[in-house]
Every structure is written in structure tokens, then in C-alpha cells.
Amino acid sequence: MTVPHPAIAHLNRHRLPDAHRLMKSSSFFAFLLLGLLLAPAAAAQPQIDGEPKARRGTFAVTNVRIETVSSGVIESGTIVIENDLIVAIGANVTIPPGAEIIDGAGQTAYPGMIDSGTRLGLVEVGSDPRTIDFREVGDVTPHVEALTAINPNSVAIPVTRVSGVTTVISAPTGGLFPGKAALVNLHGYTPEQMSVGGVQLMTLTFPTSARRGRFDQRSEEDVKKAYDEAIQKLDGIWEDAKLYARIDSAYRANPDAGRRPEYNPEMTAMLPVVRGQMPLLVTVEAAKDITAAIAWVKKQRVARPVFSGVAEGWRVADELAEAGIPCIVGPMLSTPTRDADRYDKAYANIGLLHKAGVKVAIQTGDAENVRNLPFNAGFAATYGMGREEALRAVTLAPAEIFGVADQLGSLEVGKKANLFIANGDPFETKTKITKVFIDGYDIPLENRQTRLYEEFLERTPGLEKHPKAPEVAAPTG
């Protein structure tokens, strides 16, 4: 018989009873219902009749301009794709027998873009709570995993892919520790198939020292008291997690000692973070809070911090650079945080951080409009970052931050075939994406919006105009 470690009892104060947690979990019931509905057709993804499917094979994209991101530009070359990998790239490439040739003349190939912060797949209709699954009950839910809740059949995913976005971070929000974000490709029958290398990040919403908005009528003393209490709570949770890790390590080193810790899902979920095996994604916006967050991760010796949001990062760019903390910045398409700031500070923020020496990537923070990631990057490029670095901020830089630069982010032999072909600059609205490959799959460029466009472009004959309304006699008397 094993006896719970006596020091573990107070760690359970963050736990909800198992039955209560399941009753409160929208994920549990949503996926139970989804499983029942889809059980007869579990082997096949829902598909509209006549709609083409993604397919793998051997493809050779020829005569195409190639922006590798990592090794400059090849003005006219060939990319050979076999199954999920790029197997050859360059100006003088032998095309394998039987390869399907795609003529890329007059077009450019780019690495698939990565949005480093979204809710894609976790919400379908923002006004309908039944379709929202990016927030769970409770302030401390690190055991919640976004990957389990992602809907591979979300209508927003095909809409996003046609803009050249092939990979995203999908993250939970709300609460102090909302749960684990996941890095996913935008193609797959199941969330597990979409997962990129099993990459997950623990999310932390850092306490804010500011008011919640213009309608926050609390006194300065109350605001400060609430902030101090939030920091104290954060410190307590982190210390508990480190204690749990020490107890767990001691038991694993000597399981015969009979001191097995009681299972605690919240603290178990924190183990990879406190041990430095998983990044901690810290959402923080105001300059004062960013400075406090830098001090906090140093004090707690967080091994792999990544800051997200950082709307006022430009104010403390040198501090962030000195700390060596990478930043996920955005959305770009927003307004200044302070009325006295220039109108373009939100656009220039990421460029100023980059110039200070901070490794940066771009996020939209969206669900329905992740497709606007290229235009976020375009604003960053125009307002000081430059096009080359802006392209890197949505390709190779996030791949480096998330530890998958050996797979994604640039066009190189041996990397995953995540790429797209366009007839111009993807940061310009006039550009058309003509081909998208994800994990080697040739992805059909069809979605709900393209089908609606085609439907109303070629309307059924005889229905182009509304029938003339009957004339109604004017009332008399």
C-alpha cells in the first residue's frame, strides 16, 4: 500500500472534484456529443459531393521563383515534393520519373505562414456559447489542452488556408493558467493528425496592474491590492508546482520508499513547464507589466519563457532584448494603447522590438480572421520592419521559437512540404494564392466563401432579378 506524501495535501486546493469538473467542462460534453454523432462515419471526414480531396504524391513545381527565407531567393528553380517532404530544391534539379509537374512560371513559392497566436478551431460562432471551447471553468486549469478541443472541420480552417497560412498556434484563454496551447497544421482528419511534433505551450495570463477599462471605477488602492493578490496567487501556484515536481522526482528515483504523491491533474500538467521541458507562453501587454513579468520569470527561473501580446513592448524593448525573451506580437491591426501615442505605434511595435534585438513573431489573436495574417505582416513591413524580416516573422522565426525549425519555416531539403505558390507578394491584397501544400498534401483551394462566390457569380438562369412586385392600389378614404 502506498501512502500519499504528507506535503501534497495543500496542493489539492486548486482542484475541482472530478465529477464537478466533468459537469462544468464544455469540452467533455461537446466531444461526447460529437463522438456519438460521428461514430458511424469515423473513418471518413465529412465532404461535400464533388469537392476535391487533398492528395499526396510526387510533385515537381518548375520554373518558379523561390523565396527560401533561410538561404535567399532562387529566381527560377524547381521544388520536388515526395510524400510529406521537400526532397530537392534549386535551379538544376532532376525531376523524378512519374512526378506530377506544376508549372510555376511567373509565380513565387513561399514557406507556409505560421500564425503564432489564434483561437482557430476552438470557436465556430462567437455569439453562440455552444460552439465556444477556448475557455474552461476555473482560474487555474493548466491541464486543459487546446488540442483535444480543436475542430478539424471548422469552416474557418479552409478559409484561412487559401491565404497561405498553413500552421497556427491555437490557444485557450481566460483565467490565470488557461491551459496548453498547441501547434497545428491546418489539415487533418483528427486533432492528433494536425499536431506538429506534439508541440504544446503552457499559457499564463500575467496579472495586470492597470484598470480593466474606462468603466473600472475602483480606487487606486483597490487596483493595487487586487494586483498584489494576483501576484501572490501566481507565486503560490508556481511554488506548489515546483514542490510537486520535487516530490514526483523523489518518488521516481526511489519508488520503493512508499511515498507516492497523490495524483493532482493541475500540478501534473505543470511538471514539464517547471522542469524546462515546455515553454511558458506569458500574455502581457502594458510596459509596466512587461517589466514585472521579466522580473518574475527571472525570479522563478522559468527556463523557456515566451511573451505574447506585448502591445507596449516598444517602450521596454531594450529590457526584453537583454532578457533574451522571444515575443509573439500582435495583432498589428489595432489602435495605440494610449491616447497620446502616435497612430502607428501598434504597426511599428514589432519593428522596434526587432531593431532592439528581440526575436519576434506575429499573431492575429483571432479565429475567423486568421486569414488576415499576411496583412498584419504587411503593416509590420511597411512601418519599419522591412519585408524580408516581416516574412521571417511569419515563417522561420516562429518555427525557431516553437522548436520546429528543423521541420518548418523555410524551403529546404528535408523539411516538411508546407508551402504555397502565389502570383505576387502575399502581403498585398491583390495577390492570388494558386497552390497550397500542407505536410505534402496538395490542398484544394475551396471553402465556404469560394463556393458562395461561385454560386452567386453564376446564378441560376431566370433568378438574376427579383420578380416584379404586384402593384398595390393606394388606400382611399
Side-chain angles (χ1 to χ4, degrees), residues 55-376:
R55 57 196 178 89
R56 267 184 180 170
T58 301
F59 304 94
V61 184
T62 62
N63 307 313
V64 68
R65 182 175 178 272
I66 305 170
E67 291 207 23
T68 67
V69 176
S70 60
S71 305
V73 177
I74 301 170
E75 289 300 334
S76 181
T78 298
I79 304 172
V80 178
I81 299 168
E82 287 186 3
N83 294 319
D84 60 332
L85 298 177
I86 297 172
V87 297
I89 185 169
N92 298 297
V93 169
T94 301
I95 299 175
E100 180 178 333
I101 297 177
I102 301 167
D103 187 4
Q107 302 186 78
T108 302
Y110 302 90
M113 286 184 277
I114 302 171
D115 191 324
S116 298
T118 78
R119 298 189 304 276
L120 191 59
L122 298 178
V123 55
E124 203 66 22
V125 181
S127 59
D128 187 346
R130 295 171 299 177
T131 71
I132 295 174
D133 211 7
F134 55 79
R135 179 169 184 166
E136 293 294 340
V137 174
D139 197 38
V140 183
T141 56
H143 53 297
V144 167
E145 297 188 2
L147 186 63
T148 65
I150 288 174
N151 175 16
N153 299 305
S154 170
V155 296
I157 289 177
V159 171
T160 301
R161 293 189 303 226
V162 299
S163 66
V165 180
T166 61
T167 310
V168 304
I169 286 286
S170 193
T173 60
L176 189 61
F177 283 95
K180 297 175 185 175
L183 182 67
V184 294
N185 281 330
L186 299 186
H187 177 258
Y189 287 85
T190 67
E192 289 74 20
Q193 291 176 350
M194 298 171 70
S195 176
V196 178
V199 172
Q200 293 184 309
L201 301 88
M202 182 62 68
T203 57
L204 163 64
T205 306
F206 198 79
T208 177
S209 58
R211 297 182 184 277
R212 300 189 185 100
R214 65 179 61 189
F215 299 107
D216 188 346
Q217 300 298 317
R218 292 177 299 167
S219 66
E220 293 292 340
E221 291 77 11
D222 287 342
V223 171
K224 185 178 185 307
K225 180 181 178 183
Y227 174 74
D228 290 342
E229 290 175 350
I231 291 292
Q232 185 177 6
K233 180 177 182 180
L234 172 59
D235 285 339
I237 293 168
W238 193 262
E239 291 300 327
D240 286 351
K242 290 195 293 186
L243 172 61
Y244 191 85
R246 291 195 298 270
I247 297 170
D248 179 76
S249 296
Y251 171 74
R252 291 176 183 276
N254 188 11
D256 295 331
R259 311 275 298 175
R260 183 174 186 174
E262 179 183 344
Y263 174 66
N264 182 306
E266 292 85 350
M267 294 296 104
T268 300
M270 295 286 288
L271 288 177
V273 188
V274 299
R275 288 172 173 165
Q277 300 163 346
M278 179 183 292
L280 180 66
L281 187 63
V282 183
T283 299
V284 60
E285 303 287 359
K288 183 178 179 181
D289 296 335
I290 294 171
T291 299
I294 293 172
W296 185 83
V297 298
K298 286 181 179 178
K299 180 183 74 172
Q300 298 294 356
R301 298 181 181 179
V302 179
R304 300 176 62 188
V306 179
F307 284 3
S308 174
V310 290
E312 292 189 346
W314 62 275
R315 297 183 187 274
V316 290
D318 290 338
E319 294 178 46
L320 284 165
E322 183 180 356
I325 299 173
C327 292
I328 309 301
V329 187
M332 302 287 101
L333 309 180
S334 59
T335 56
T337 55
R338 307 185 192 186
D339 292 339
D341 289 339
R342 278 178 56 93
Y343 76 94
D344 61 354
K345 279 303 181 185
Y347 315 147
N349 180 29
I350 190 169
L352 294 171
L353 285 165
H354 171 70
K355 287 178 181 178
V358 180
K359 181 180 285 292
V360 291
I362 297 175
Q363 67 175 1
T364 61
D366 214 321
E368 298 88 351
N369 290 309
V370 179
R371 59 183 178 175
N372 286 334
L373 177 66
F375 310 134
N376 279 257

Side-chain angles (χ1 to χ4, degrees), residues 46-57:
Q47 183 182 3
I48 297 174
D49 290 341
E51 181 180 313
K53 281 189 175 183
R55 57 196 178 89
R56 267 184 180 170

